[in-house]
Structures are given as structure tokens and as C-alpha cells.
Amino acid sequence: MRKSLAVVMVSLLALALVLSACGPKPEQPNGGEPKTKTVGGQLVLGLTGNPVTFNPILSTDTTSGAIIGRVFNGLVRVNETMELVPDLAESWEFSPDGLTWTFKLREDVVWHDGTPFTAADVKYTYDAIKHPDYAGVRKTDFKPIKEVETQGDYTVILHLEEPYAPLLSKLTIGIIPKHIFETTSIKDMKENPACMQPIGTGPYKFVKWEKDQYIMVEANPDYYGEGPYIQTVIWKFYGDNQVMLAALEKGDIDYMGAIPPDDVERVQQALASTHEFKQIPQNGYTYIGLKQTDPILKDKLVRQALMYGTNRAQIVEEVLRGYGDVMHANLTPSSWAYAGDVLNPYEYNPEKAKELLDEAGWKVGADGIREKDGQKMNVKILTSTGNKILESALLITQQNWKELGINAVVEYIEWSVLCAQYLDVAKFQAYALGWSLGVDPDCYLYFHSSAAVDENGQLVGFNDVEFKNAELDELLERGRTEMDKETRKQIYVEIQKIINEELPYVFLYRNNTPAAMHKKVKGVVWGATGPLYPEKWWIEE
Amino acid sequence: MSDYLLEVKDLKKYFPVRGGVFSKVTNWVKAVDGVSFGIYPGETLGLVGESGCGKTTTGRCILRLLEPTSGEVVFGGQNILELDRRQMRKIRKEMQIIFQDPYGSLNARMTVGDIIGEAFTVHGLAKGKERAEKVQELLKVVGLDPYHSRRYPHEFSGGQRQRIGIARALALRPKLIVCDEPVSALDVSIQSQILNLLEDLQEEFGLTYLFIAHNLSVVQHISDRVGVMYLGHLVELAPKDRLYSSPKHPYTVALLSAIPVPDPDMRKKRILLEGDVPSPLNPPSGCPFHTRCPKAGAECRESRPELRELSPGHFVACHLA
Amino acid sequence: MRSYIIRRILQMIPLLIGISIVNFTIMHLAPGDPVDLLVERNATAEERARIKELYGLNDPLPVQYFRWLGHVLKGDFGKSFVDGQSVSKTILERLPYTLYLNFLIMVVIYLIAVPVGIISALKQYSKFDHIMTTLAFLGQAIPSFWIGLILIYFFGLKLDWLPISGVGTIGLSVKTAGFWATFADRAAHVVMPVAVVAFGSLTGVARYMRSSMLEVIRQDYVRTARAKGLPEKVVIVKHALRNALLPIVTLLGSELPLLFGGMVVIESIFSWPGIGLLSIRAILQRDYQIVMAINMMGAVLMVLGNFLADLLYVVVDPRIKYS
């Protein structure tokens, strides 16, 4: 039984309908198809970071990602409900054992320099990532691929070591042109001029990049899909968020993606007539990681008490000013595998928290701090400097925990020190940070026991809290090898339930950052994690 | 007495003292407080006193390098304090000054030739080659070599620099030169050379000197008459011999006793003044000297003694004299 | 004099090597490296270790240093760890912007500060002097980013007189808009950054000028000049000012390296693509090659600036001679 594309598509569609109840609704562009879409015009976007490279397989930063997304295409792309839909691949099928994936490529795609796009480019891209000299960070993602085979110019077959469902989401990575990059060795790929002046297949062609000033792309008339309508897109660089905000108000830029929460109200009033304000849900969350082997934190009752005893709703209301959601487990509402209501919401209940702590044997001492077997209930939370929102959230947490009789101390450490001396060697009692998540719900590297610390004390994956649960291990393994999406969803709901019950972390919140888009920009599709399909936007002055 | 070349009448110079956030004037330092005297043409008047007594300020006020608070400075029958800037610049040809510090008084960035010659240019007296010749002549007059005119001040010793300063002061052929402690900064061995030079020049050019010094021994050598200042006041003024042989003011007596005597066998009673000079910010009432005067009585504390002529030409401001 | 110059230049070599060793060591002792900071928490420890090996970041420090020194002696500052671009090219791309901005700032500061300082000194304790003193305190006390944001808010946003960031309007050039329109556009963009920095440092230079002038006008040679019967203007300009400018000239010499250094705060507020922005980012990313190149450029300029200041002394002050 081969799962054809049609089956995949139908199941995706069904899922989309189910999810629309809990996930953010995809916006319909102004009540369906408009009559005319204007071609031309210029869109100016604000940019705070400095792009590092426009090579999709080397890039790790979101700033570069914004430009790469318009210039390059992967075999698949993410739609408004975070599902994978065809892009350069027209269709694909998995062998029943999940070891052979066959992709049929579009035949009407050309690179921006006019060279036809073929299966050789796909093979080159994936082989480059698997090359020993490859200097990017995607190697782990592509490890399950044993071999990339091409059949003719338009068929790519991936041979896998073992079934690995999350791989499909990794194929969103932009395909790079073989004929351009084969002139440099894989080791020196970074130095290829095309990393700075990219040649892709996307709706927009790179024009120029004036460092720390602006990046300009223009419409690609040979683009294979619908659009693009807007002729020129410019990212203008701003070194300071407040200045970017002023630029938005002045009309220098048409879109700003992360308005500081404190300024939203004022700006919203000032620009009500000209701009549309949206919340962009972030597919990531902030949490307090709890070392599972710590004498205090190893007790599940204590961890649950911390969850009950932290007023997370207040943090979202006051610190994020409502621009966020309380998190209960490790997947955000943006994901198609989000468990939703079946999770224990741990609503703020200090009384319950105190009961749990009493039950765990931690009694309030003379100084108001709980103690057990002569040990005081002291918890040291490490965090990095420079994140104002997290700092405020931890202040509330610290106060909440104090009321429970827990003496929590927050220590602020510079990012690189925090990484090198605490996180990378998995030595801490608790720490507060955030994860940004991929499209696939797979979280093997975060919670599988084999992703914890090896016998040499080396951290293998990201399981620095050393969470170990045999049932979860088994589910995580199944989640990776199971190819059926509906079954996978059930597996990940189970995983979330276990995590929600066992609590490797105190889950805090995820941000929904406020964004503003000028009303002259039409056709914007607001997806689960921001505006989508820029090639379909147009400008109506 | 109109035969004075220069007459100073009730000269006062008060300096403001500032304080507080806005630098408001909170008090006055009475550096010179009503000084009167005259200088005859061709004579040398010595002006002596401890540092801070106002003698230097008096010298600068006479030349209007400081603007006096009140009083008159009559030079050649004219009160120069009434002159405007242009008239004043003209009269500067007639009165010059030699400063104490031979290092600070010469602009380090100018050659000796320029320092001396600048005045010729400004007053339109000479320029070009003629100026250079005049400068070289002046250098010869003060005992330097003509080729020195191309050098910079730092290339000279203290005594040589003071000669340059004298040459500069002489350049415009002034009638009066205020010598503001011209030898105090020099080695003792050089001092007499400079003093002799000044005496020779006085003879040659018919100069009149106001010679300011802080001890009586230097003045004794060069002066015709000597005035003694204390805390902004002139306390005694007399021809040199009279002053040195029969000083009338207790302060003058004390100063004289302080002159070292070259003969080691000669023993002399030294009068040691007790206490410090009172602050001119807060001068004592009555006689300014009464706080340190060994003879002071009740009257001295209450009223200030006026300068009186005890014998012809001998003036003293003391109730007890 | 010639032997002095040669000696000084020879002395610079060990000095610069010493500086480079110290810089290199401090930078590598700082926690984190380009790979860690670039990938943040997106890659496993194993993957990061592999990339570090590729870049030679696991070699002993002396090996890394001599490899770097070897390249530098051949005139090659290497390639950025972060984006793989030539370091010299990256710096040269930005240098003109930094020079342009800082040169204008210097000119404005000195053109205003010197006369203001002179007037303050000549009219000590006057209203003008008090106002300048107050402004000097304000200029040094108010953080420049705050002034920057205030100016952006009023002149950029509320009054809409000036552009708020960047060096020029995108797409506007001599070719598209003609010389004068381009000139006006570039000038409008530079007004606020120059004003903010000038306000911060101008008053300091003015105070420096004031005290220098005050010191000089109390000198006997200024009295001498007056006693000569020189007009007041000549006394002030020829005798007092020339001497009072001496320390200012040498201050300029020591500020020369700053001209190339760029200013982090101003460059990031006004999105000015200069060295300051590049260096702060390189430091945060531990982009060793760029940090080293900028540091060494700074060190060379500092050493040369001091040397030039010393030579300048000889020109302006006849008392000083080197042998």
C-alpha cells in the first residue's frame, strides 16, 4: 500500500479543519479573490539584525531567513496551518517501509540566472549538507538520509537508514544551484560570492545588499507560481527598535514585525486608520528547566507544585500585556499536533501547591522556608542577561515561589558563559530560557533519555535537564518512525500528556508578538506564525 | 607738586571674590587700598613689602595692565585712567614694565627678534631691515650678541632672558620703567649684573624707575627714595638714606632688621614679627599693622593712621611715630 | 631628528606585536566562540564540535596566534568566521562612512568649540560663560542615545523635517536625482547624528579651550604684549590664542584614532553603516578575525597618532626638540 500524494493531501485537509478549532485561523484575503491584483509598487520592511549569509544551508539566523524565504524554495513549504505542502516538488510518496521517499519535481522552474532547475541541484544541496567538510548545523537533520538518488532530471529518491518522519519538514530548506556552488569546495562554500548575491528559484530576485543599510529584491518574472505582484521589496536596517517604530510612524517602512509590547497601545491609536495590527504567534516557548536529578526537584510532586504555584496567567497579562499564551507542555498552539484541552492547565493555585509540597515532605521551617531532612528548599535559577521580559517574568515567579516557602534566587549570566559553563555541560539546578521549535512536533532531542548526558559527562542532545522516562522514550521513537500523520498526532498528544504530567520544565509562556502592516498591502495571508505567501501580496495605493 | 613724572593719588584696586553656585561676588580683596606717591623724573623709587602687600598690583595699575578700582595715575600732567584705548596705546611707548619671571614673560613661540621688534611694527616706528638693525642694537646695549635675535627664549639662561626683557622694555625709549622684582627670580651672582645694567641704562637713557622688590637690601642698592607697603597701604616713604638710618614705622624697622649682614662678627638684634600677615579679605580695623606691631596701643586698634610728613620728604603712617 | 623618527618607528613593531598578543589572548579567553554564538541552541554539542574543528578553533592558542600573525604579515587579515567574507574588504566597505561622519563631527566640534571656549575665557563669569558651563554639564550628563531618540522624535517624526536613519534615501543618487538633490539628501541625513555627537563632546572641548585660554591670558608674556601697546585683538590672537591652542592641537592628534573607531551608540541609533556597528557585532559574535583587524587598526592609529602628536609639538612649540 503506497500512500499517494492524494491521500496525504486529503488527510492534511481534514486535519486543517479539525485544527481550525484550536489553532489560529488562517485569514482569507479580504473576503475571497479580488477582481484585480495590481502589479508593481514597492514594499519596505523593517529589519533589526544583520543577515549573515544568504546561503540557505549555512544560514542559522532569522534575519537571513526572511530574505532567503523570498529568494529560494525548498522541495516543500509550510502553509498557514504549519503543514507541509508542495513547492519545488510537485508530489511525493513514501514506500510502505518508510525507507524510500520519491519526489517528483516541477519541470517549469529556472534559476534566476536562466539555468533550468533539475534533480541534480537537489542532490547537490543534500549531499553538501552530508559532506564531512560542511560547516553548517543541519547535518543532524539529514543524518537519516543514506543516499540521494536522481532519476532523470525531475525525480529525486531519498534512501533512508531508518524511517524518519520529521525529515519531510527539514526539506523546506532552500535548494541551492549546483552550477554556481560546485566552483568552490564544500569547505569554502561560505566564501562563494553567491552566499552574498544569492541565485535562487523564488518569486524574488536578489538585487543588492548595502551592509547595514538595506537589502533589495525585485520580482522574478519567470517565477513558476502565482505572482509576484509587488515589484520591489526592500528590507531597511534599523539598529534600534525605537527608531524602527518611529520609521513605521513616519511611513518609512510598511511593516514591522516585533513592536515592543509597551508601545503597542500608543502606536495602534496613532496608526489606526492606516495600518492593520496583528499578533504573530511564535512557534516557541519560554520555560524554567528543572534538573531531574536534583535532590529537591527530582520529586514530581515538587515540580507540579511549582507549576501550580507560578502565576503564569499574570505573567502573560502583565509582562507580555496579553501578547502571549500560557504554555502547559512542549508544543505551541501553532503546531498541528498541539494537544490542547486534554492537558492539565495547572491554573494558579497556591493552596494546592502548598498541599503538594507538604505531601512531598517539605515542611515550613521557622524562617518561613520549607525544609526536609535538614535541607532548605533553595532553588537557584540561572538565566541570560538582556531579556527584559524574562527578567520581569522571573521576578513574579520568585515572588510566587517565596509565598510557597521556596527560596528562589535568580542569577543573571552572560549568554556565552551560561552556555559554556552551565548548559553545555548540563550543570545547573534550574535555568530559564526559551526554545524556538521546528515545523515538526518531533522532540526526541529534547526529552529522550539518550539525548541527555553520556558516560563521559558530555551532553548529547538538548536534554540538559536529564529527563528520563521509558514510556516517553518509546513514544518519541515511534513518533519518528511512524509515517502516518494522524497516528503521529496521537503519539504526540500522548507525549505532551506525559510531559504535562511529569514536568521536565516549568512551562511559562509563548509570545504572540504585535505586528503592524500598512493597509495598502493587500492579499496578506496571516498564517500560524506570521504573514505568508509574499509573492501573492499586492499594493493598492 | 607738578614736577613729578608720575603721580599716584589714592589708588585703589579691589578684586572680587566669587562663591556659590552662580559665582556671585561675595566679597572683595582690597589688594591696594588708597596708595599715593609721586616719582620725580630720573629718579628710582623703590617699593618694598612682603608678598601680597599690593606692590605688584600697584605697579600693574600704574600701567593699566590692571584696571584700578579708583584713584588717579597722573603721567606727564595727564590722568591716564581717563584715556581711551587708543590714546592709552600711544602712551605705552612712554611707560614700560620688566617682569619678575624671565621665563613666563617672553612668548616662547616667538624669536627674540620678534619679541623686541614687535613694538616697532605696532607703533609704526620701523620695519624690515631697519627694525632688525634696531633690535640688534638693543641686544648690544643689554649685553647680548646681535645674532641672538633669531633664537627662541628657551635657548637662553635666566639672566640672558631678563636682558631680553630689558631690551624689549627699552625698545620704545620709554620715560618710565616699572621694574617688577626684576632680579628676584635670578641667581644671586646674576642679580648684581642685572642691577648694574639697569643703573647704566638709567644713566644712558635718562630713565625713571619704579623698582618693586620684596626686601630692602636689593632696593638699597638702586633706589633714591623708598616706599614701604603693608597690606595694601603705603606705611612709610622716605629718601633712601633717611629710611635706612632712621626708620620711623615699626614695620620698616622689622624689615630692616631682617637684612642679612655680610660681616659675621657683627651682631644685631633681629626683630621677629609674630603671626602671619592678616588676610586682605578681612583686614584688621585701625592700623593694618596693629595685629603684629610690638608697640601697638589702643589708638592703633581703633583708628587708621594717615600718611604724615614727619620731616621734609619723610612720610609715615603711624600713630606712634 | 631623523634618527629619532627611525627609532620611534622601530619601537612601534614590538609594541604592536605585544598589543596583538594581549588582544588575541583576551579575546580567546572570553567565553564563547563564533560557532557557539552563531548557532545558539540550534545545534547539538557534537555538531558544534565538528564545525570548530573545521575552523581550527580547537587548536592551541599559540598555534592559532601564529597562524593569524603569519597571514597578517603577508597583508591578509583573513576571512570572517561568521560570513566567510574577506575582513579587509568588510572593513574597507565601512570605513568611508565612519570617516565621513567623524570628520564632519570633528569639524563642527572644533569650529564651534574653539570660539566658544575663547569667548567664555575672555568673558569669564559672564552670562554667556554661565550658559556654556551649564550646557557643558548637560552635554556630558545626558546619554547620547537619549538625545538621539528625542531628536528623532521631534525633528524626524513630529516636525518631519529630517530623515531619521541611514546615510541617504534608497535609490536616490547623483544619477537619478542630480547633484544638488543628492547633496541635500545626504546632508539632511547627517544632521542629526552630527548634532548628537557634537552636543556631547563639543562642550567638553569648549571647556578645555576655555581653561587653556584662561591659563594663558594670565601669563606675563600676554601682559608684556599688552604693555608693548599692541591692540587687544593682536594680544588675544597672536600671543594668547596661539599658545592656548597648543594643547588643543595635540588633543586633536590623540583623537585621530577615534575618527576611525566609529561610535557604537550613534551608529546603531541612526543606522549608520560604520565601523562601530561592525565592531560591536563582531565582538558579540566573537568574530575573531574582524575584532582583531579592527583592534590592530585602532592600535596602529593610536601609536601613529601619538607619534604624530609628538612631531606636531616640534612644529608648534620651538622649545621642543628630539634627538
Side-chain angles (χ1 to χ4, degrees):
Chain A
M1 184 193 84
R2 289 189 163 227
K3 282 182 199 115
S4 71
L5 173 69
V7 175
V8 174
M9 290 310 288
V10 167
S11 60
L12 286 178
L13 209 72
L15 196 66
L17 288 172
V18 174
L19 280 174
S20 58
C22 51
K25 264 190 188 162
E27 291 274 324
Q28 284 306 311
N30 302 2
E33 283 298 295
K35 288 170 196 92
T36 51
K37 295 182 177 180
T38 326
V39 175
Q42 172 175 298
L43 175 69
V44 187
L45 308 160
L47 188 75
T48 32
N50 183 51
V52 171
T53 173
F54 297 134
N55 183 331
I57 70 171
L58 293 178
S59 153
T60 52
D61 60 310
T62 48
T63 313
S64 312
I67 290 94
I68 288 170
R70 276 177 170 80
V71 175
F72 290 94
N73 303 97
L75 290 189
V76 297
R77 73 193 298 189
V78 179
N79 74 356
E80 50 267 48
T81 47
M82 279 184 73
E83 285 157 298
L84 301 164
V85 293
D87 197 355
L88 288 175
E90 234 165 28
S91 62
W92 57 86
E93 48 187 21
F94 310 130
S95 68
D97 58 5
L99 292 176
T100 312
W101 299 16
T102 308
F103 291 84
K104 182 79 193 73
L105 306 182
R106 294 182 75 110
E107 298 184 11
D108 56 351
V109 181
V110 287
W111 293 102
H112 292 156
D113 65 356
T115 314
F117 158 81
T118 67
D121 294 312
V122 180
K123 181 174 166 56
Y124 177 81
T125 304
Y126 295 166
D127 283 348
I129 295 172
K130 293 182 68 59
H131 195 279
D133 286 346
Y134 164 68
V137 298
R138 318 278 175 170
K139 215 180 183 67
T140 318
D141 294 347
F142 283 77
K143 213 174 184 174
I145 300 179
K146 190 163 64 185
E147 201 203 330
V148 183
E149 187 195 339
T150 57
Q151 270 182 9
D153 277 348
Y154 299 106
T155 304
V156 175
I157 302 163
L158 302 182
H159 299 281
L160 275 60
E161 305 269 6
E162 55 189 355
Y164 183 61
L167 180 64
L168 191 60
S169 71
K170 314 292 181 195
L171 304 186
T172 49
I173 195 164
I175 301 298
I176 55 172
K178 179 185 179 201
H179 66 283
I180 302 279
F181 280 97
E182 67 187 354
T183 54
T184 41
S185 69
I186 301 293
K187 190 170 188 239
D188 297 330
M189 181 182 262
K190 241 182 208 183
E191 294 160 22
N192 190 303
C195 291
M196 293 288 139
Q197 291 158 319
I199 290 173
T201 51
Y204 284 94
K205 283 184 179 181
F206 176 84
V207 178
K208 70 161 145 184
W209 175 17
E210 292 285 342
K211 301 271 173 69
D212 281 340
Q213 295 183 64
Y214 64 92
I215 297 157
M216 189 190 276
V217 296
E218 64 179 14
N220 171 15
D222 301 325
Y223 181 59
Y224 53 86
E226 184 197 342
Y229 300 106
I230 298 171
Q231 179 58 32
T232 316
V233 179
I234 289 169
W235 286 268
K236 244 189 127 184
F237 169 77
Y238 291 92
D240 183 277
N241 243 334
Q242 288 298 327
V243 180
M244 201 204 279
L245 199 60
L248 180 76
E249 290 185 63
K250 193 178 161 81
D252 286 356
I253 56 174
D254 304 315
Y255 174 76
M256 179 167 173
I259 300 171
D262 291 348
D263 296 299
V264 177
E265 210 169 308
R266 181 182 61 79
V267 181
Q268 204 158 4
Q269 269 173 11
L271 302 179
S273 58
T274 52
H275 287 68
E276 199 174 352
F277 282 80
K278 291 280 181 184
Q279 290 192 26
I280 298 187
Q282 301 297 304
N283 189 27
Y285 60 88
T286 302
Y287 64 95
I288 304 174
L290 307 173
K291 191 63 148 185
Q292 303 293 307
T293 52
D294 180 77
I296 298 172
L297 301 171
K298 69 182 177 196
D299 190 338
K300 184 167 96 181
L301 294 174
V302 171
R303 301 201 296 271
Q304 288 179 338
L306 294 180
M307 201 68 170
Y308 277 117
T310 309
N311 196 344
R312 298 171 299 141
Q314 186 197 356
I315 292 174
V316 169
E317 239 10 82
E318 290 178 8
V319 181
L320 300 179
R321 310 226 168 193
Y323 291 96
D325 296 302
V326 174
M327 287 290 292
H328 311 307
N330 62 315
L331 289 182
T332 70
S334 299
S335 170
W336 54 262
Y338 179 58
D341 293 341
V342 301
L343 301 176
N344 180 354
Y346 291 98
E347 268 165 45
Y348 182 54
N349 189 342
E351 291 316 310
K352 171 110 182 167
K354 285 175 192 165
E355 277 170 33
L356 287 168
L357 289 172
D358 287 337
E359 194 187 328
W362 291 92
K363 304 293 178 203
V364 181
D367 55 355
I369 309 283
R370 285 175 189 269
E371 52 191 36
K372 181 182 175 182
D373 306 332
Q375 190 190 9
K376 288 273 175 201
M377 201 160 195
N378 294 322
V379 178
K380 184 156 90 178
I381 306 171
L382 311 177
T383 192
S384 79
T385 48
N387 183 340
K388 288 270 169 278
I389 288 177
L390 184 52
E391 278 176 30
S392 311
L394 288 175
L395 272 179
I396 292 176
T397 306
Q398 211 177 355
Q399 191 57 40
N400 289 160
W401 289 11
K402 196 176 175 187
E403 283 161 24
L404 304 179
I406 303 168
N407 176 34
V409 183
V410 180
E411 199 170 309
Y412 296 93
I413 302 171
E414 205 237 340
W415 173 252
S416 43
V417 183
L418 184 63
C419 281
Q421 296 179 9
Y422 301 96
L423 301 183
D424 287 355
V425 289
K427 289 200 171 77
F428 54 83
Q429 187 184 17
Y431 72 91
L433 279 178
W435 284 121
S436 59
L437 302 178
V439 174
D440 195 85
D442 173 44
C443 45
Y444 183 97
L445 281 177
Y446 301 82
F447 302 114
H448 196 275
S449 57
S450 72
V453 178
D454 66 13
E455 58 274 17
N456 303 323
Q458 201 64 41
L459 183 62
V460 179
F462 302 131
N463 188 359
D464 44 20
V465 296
E466 294 176 78
F467 181 73
K468 287 174 186 169
N469 181 303
E471 194 190 349
L472 190 80
D473 280 358
E474 198 260 318
L475 284 167
L476 286 168
E477 287 156 25
R478 271 182 56 208
R480 281 188 153 189
T481 51
E482 175 58 54
M483 298 301 290
D484 178 69
K485 189 161 178 188
E486 198 45 45
T487 318
R488 285 194 78 203
K489 188 186 173 186
Q490 283 157 14
I491 293 169
Y492 284 105
V493 169
E494 284 311 306
I495 287 172
Q496 289 170 74
K497 277 174 159 170
I498 293 173
I499 286 174
N500 178 246
E501 167 75 16
E502 296 290 332
L503 297 169
Y505 303 157
V506 169
F507 292 95
L508 295 174
Y509 54 84
R510 71 102 162 238
N511 297 75
N512 299 330
T513 54
M517 176 77 87
H518 200 283
K519 282 181 179 164
K520 72 180 181 185
V521 186
K522 308 287 184 191
V524 181
V525 177
W526 294 91
T529 56
L532 277 179
Y533 306 138
E535 72 276 10
K536 294 182 187 167
W537 306 353
W538 76 95
I539 287 176
E540 218 167 80
E541 293 291 349
Chain B
M1 297 278 261
S2 56
D3 50 352
Y4 284 134
L5 173 69
L6 172 85
E7 191 176 6
V8 175
K9 293 181 186 166
D10 199 24
L11 186 74
K12 289 180 180 168
K13 176 64 189 176
Y14 295 172
F15 291 104
V17 176
R18 291 169 194 274
V21 186
F22 300 104
S23 309
K24 287 268 187 272
V25 176
T26 54
N27 209 339
W28 297 91
V29 173
K30 297 177 177 176
V32 177
D33 196 9
V35 167
S36 306
F37 60 85
I39 307 176
Y40 296 103
E43 80 159 341
T44 298
L45 176 71
L47 201 56
V48 184
E50 289 167 286
S51 55
C53 71
K55 58 192 190 299
T56 294
T57 306
T58 305
R60 288 179 184 175
C61 282
I62 288 169
L63 290 167
R64 278 184 80 183
L65 293 175
L66 282 173
E67 219 42 58
T69 309
S70 70
E72 279 179 40
V73 176
V74 179
F75 182 80
Q78 212 173 7
N79 180 6
I80 64 162
L81 300 186
E82 286 164 358
L83 300 179
D84 65 23
R85 280 186 166 207
R86 211 157 37 97
Q87 292 167 317
M88 189 59 216
R89 286 218 323 269
K90 265 187 207 147
I91 212 148
R92 289 204 186 284
K93 281 191 278 187
E94 317 253 319
M95 42 206 307
Q96 279 300 328
I97 184 164
I98 300 167
F99 290 102
Q100 169 180 8
D101 177 10
Y103 295 86
S105 59
L106 303 175
N107 191 338
R109 300 181 61 203
M110 289 168 78
T111 60
V112 168
D114 282 335
I115 290 171
I116 300 172
E118 194 181 24
F120 294 125
T121 316
V122 167
H123 293 281
L125 296 177
K127 54 185 175 179
K129 206 176 161 206
E130 194 192 346
R131 193 185 93 160
E133 276 166 12
K134 285 195 170 208
V135 168
Q136 287 171 1
E137 202 177 298
L138 278 164
L139 285 172
K140 264 187 265 174
V141 165
V142 297
L144 293 170
D145 287 320
Y147 68 84
H148 283 149
S149 73
R150 258 167 296 152
R151 294 197 173 172
Y152 285 95
H154 70 274
E155 295 170 74
F156 294 91
S157 70
Q160 285 175 315
R161 284 165 176 238
Q162 203 57 303
R163 286 174 197 265
I164 294 167
I166 293 167
R168 187 207 59 72
L170 275 180
L172 294 170
R173 294 288 141 84
K175 290 188 178 128
L176 173 75
I177 295 181
V178 175
C179 305
D180 187 2
E181 304 204 40
V183 297
S184 317
L186 303 177
D187 287 350
V188 182
S189 56
I190 313 290
Q191 283 187 3
S192 54
Q193 291 177 14
I194 297 294
L195 287 176
N196 289 336
L197 174 68
L198 285 171
E199 271 185 330
D200 294 346
L201 294 172
Q202 185 170 37
E203 208 165 295
E204 192 177 341
F205 297 106
L207 296 168
T208 306
Y209 290 150
L210 173 64
F211 197 99
I212 297 167
H214 63 264
N215 69 56
L216 281 165
S217 61
V218 172
V219 182
Q220 186 172 23
H221 179 73
I222 197 165
S223 304
D224 300 309
R225 289 188 303 142
V226 174
V228 177
M229 281 189 76
Y230 184 79
L231 216 59
H233 298 273
L234 191 64
V235 294
E236 187 161 7
L237 175 65
K240 176 174 70 178
D241 298 337
R242 196 92 57 81
L243 189 99
Y244 282 80
S245 57
S246 57
K248 295 291 182 233
H249 197 283
Y251 180 62
T252 315
V253 175
L255 279 184
L256 278 173
S257 78
I259 297 177
V261 180
D263 182 356
D265 292 333
M266 194 167 151
R267 298 219 168 249
K268 195 168 83 166
K269 191 185 168 200
R270 288 185 68 172
I271 302 168
L272 287 175
L273 288 177
E274 300 203 351
D276 293 321
V277 183
S279 161
L281 248 181
N282 207 352
S285 62
C287 174
F289 189 60
H290 83 252
T291 54
R292 299 166 82 196
C293 183
K295 300 175 185 164
E299 193 191 4
C300 302
R301 279 187 280 278
E302 276 148 31
S303 70
R304 208 176 94 186
E306 293 298 317
L307 200 63
R308 317 181 265 140
E309 191 164 12
L310 278 189
S311 53
H314 193 152
F315 299 84
V316 179
C318 180
H319 293 300
L320 309 170
Chain C
M1 191 69 184
R2 181 179 300 156
S3 72
Y4 170 79
I5 293 175
I6 292 170
R7 205 172 64 223
R8 279 288 298 262
I9 290 171
L10 287 179
Q11 278 169 353
M12 284 178 202
I13 295 167
L15 182 65
L16 288 174
I17 289 180
I19 292 173
S20 76
I21 291 176
V22 171
N23 273 339
F24 198 88
T25 315
I26 289 176
M27 198 172 53
H28 282 260
L29 287 180
D33 62 43
V35 176
D36 286 339
L37 287 156
L38 193 61
V39 304
E40 298 207 334
R41 301 178 75 199
N42 294 319
T44 59
E46 184 197 346
E47 191 140 6
R48 277 181 284 161
R50 187 182 58 79
I51 301 170
K52 284 180 205 179
E53 191 61 45
L54 266 173
Y55 286 147
L57 290 171
N58 291 338
D59 294 339
L61 211 51
V63 174
Q64 291 193 48
Y65 175 75
F66 283 108
R67 189 164 48 208
W68 174 83
L69 189 64
H71 286 296
V72 168
L73 292 180
K74 280 185 249 154
D76 173 17
F77 278 97
K79 301 216 159 72
S80 154
F81 281 130
V82 174
D83 63 15
Q85 299 300 296
S86 150
V87 170
S88 333
K89 189 174 146 260
T90 304
I91 290 176
L92 286 178
E93 253 172 22
R94 284 151 188 280
L95 201 55
Y97 292 106
T98 294
L99 286 179
Y100 162 51
L101 181 64
N102 286 276
F103 178 74
L104 282 181
I105 287 169
M106 287 283 178
V107 169
V108 167
I109 287 178
Y110 281 87
L111 274 187
I112 298 177
V114 169
V116 163
I118 294 168
I119 296 170
S120 279
L122 295 181
K123 306 212 185 271
Q124 200 188 3
Y125 303 126
S126 66
K127 270 217 178 75
F128 179 86
D129 186 31
H130 285 310
I131 291 170
M132 286 304 139
T133 309
T134 315
L135 280 180
F137 278 122
L138 283 181
Q140 271 157 8
I142 303 177
S144 56
F145 74 85
W146 193 78
I147 301 179
L149 287 177
I150 293 288
L151 288 189
I152 285 176
Y153 185 74
F154 280 105
F155 295 102
L157 200 56
K158 289 289 137 186
L159 298 170
D160 204 11
W161 288 353
L162 294 167
I164 57 180
S165 73
V167 285
T169 303
I170 298 171
L172 191 114
S173 67
V174 178
K175 251 186 249 160
T176 59
F179 177 79
W180 287 110
T182 313
F183 180 82
D185 178 66
R186 301 291 187 265
H189 277 84
V190 88
V191 170
M192 284 202 282
V194 168
V196 171
V197 184
F199 182 65
S201 359
L202 181 154
T203 44
V205 177
R207 294 293 291 176
Y208 201 76
M209 184 69 223
R210 175 183 182 268
S211 56
S212 173
M213 192 70 186
L214 276 179
E215 196 184 307
V216 166
I217 53 175
R218 289 188 189 126
Q219 296 290 317
D220 275 346
Y221 61 79
V222 172
R223 286 202 192 91
T224 309
R226 232 173 245 136
K228 281 179 192 173
L230 300 183
E232 194 60 20
K233 231 187 286 171
V234 179
V235 174
I236 296 299
V237 174
K238 192 170 167 190
H239 288 263
L241 183 57
R242 278 198 194 170
N243 282 287
L245 277 176
L246 253 171
I248 298 287
V249 168
T250 51
L251 185 74
L252 194 70
S254 64
E255 274 183 14
L256 207 67
L258 299 181
L259 208 70
F260 295 81
M263 289 156 298
V264 176
V265 174
I266 289 309
E267 290 187 4
S268 61
I269 292 248
F270 292 100
S271 313
W272 196 268
I275 298 282
L277 216 50
L278 176 71
S279 59
I280 187 70
R281 193 177 293 129
I283 289 168
L284 291 177
Q285 291 175 333
R286 305 281 190 279
D287 198 343
Y288 298 144
Q289 309 288 26
I290 290 191
V291 177
M292 277 311 285
I294 293 177
N295 273 347
M296 289 320 291
M297 193 175 80
V300 168
L301 286 172
M302 188 59 89
V303 172
L304 275 182
N306 274 327
F307 179 50
L308 281 182
D310 287 350
L311 290 186
L312 214 56
Y313 267 124
V314 181
V315 178
V316 295
D317 192 336
R319 282 170 294 187
I320 294 166
K321 279 235 162 60
Y322 299 117
S323 53

